[in-house]
Amino acid sequence: MTAAAWLQETNVRGHYERFARAASRAVREAGTPRVVTISAGGKGLARKPGPISGLHAMEDILNESGAAIRHLRCGSFMENFLWQARLICERGVLSCPLPGHIPIPMVAVSDIADSALRWLVRRDWTGIAGVAVHGPEDLSCNQAAAVMERVLERPVRYKEASANHFLQTMVGFGASAEYARSLVEMFAELSQSITRAEPRTLESTTPTSLAAWSESELLPRIDSFQSRKEQGSTPICRS
């Protein structure tokens, strides 16, 4: 499924359940001994958390495949900030429907990949378990904006979006109303600190900081916008 098709999904949980059932059948038929999945935190605490509920349903379905499984229950992907790069560049604003003072785990995709690889290459584990992947620290959106401001060397502030404004914005980007509402549900659950279901440990704490990620991933995106401006295209970024 392409990114555009995923945005237009009208049954978000059903999407996860469909591919989980197909994957479970394939694992069972192939006799695959070990499986590592990418899931989300909050298992057992989340009530109706949008896409997170789909990931947790995926876990339950795959648990019936007969394989040993490690479900990587990840914090919020730092890469989710990339779709706001233009807003950060043009207006100096980071925005989502989450109170700015609530800390959540934030993790780089590269750290998730490293964790998955470590489990995949091992042959000494059995059974089914969830494994937290938290990033180096929990950060609030206010703190995340301050980190980005320091790295990008331009003003960045966090502005909490209303649920309706966020929904309308996502629909404007091409998302279905159902998918947009599922994201609003997800942020509402995150505001209830559902990620405390997986307490932070030494093992769950991964190395890539938001500052390091912002320098390697977000800054080049901002610089590309700035370069297009300086080359005489329509201004899209104000310093």
Side-chain angles (χ1 to χ4, degrees), residues 121-136:
V121 299
R122 289 173 52 185
R123 299 289 187 271
D124 60 347
W125 54 276
T126 59
I128 296 171
V131 179
V133 185
H134 281 146

Side-chain angles (χ1 to χ4, degrees), residues 137-153:
E137 60 182 331
D138 291 7
L139 292 171
S140 69
C141 290
N142 288 334
Q143 291 171 318
V147 169
M148 293 176 189
E149 181 174 79
R150 185 168 64 251
V151 173
L152 300 177
E153 298 182 341

Side-chain angles (χ1 to χ4, degrees), residues 155-168:
V156 180
R157 64 185 176 86
Y158 179 69
K159 180 180 180 181
E160 182 182 354
S162 70
N164 284 339
H165 182 267
F166 182 82
L167 192 153
Q168 292 169 6

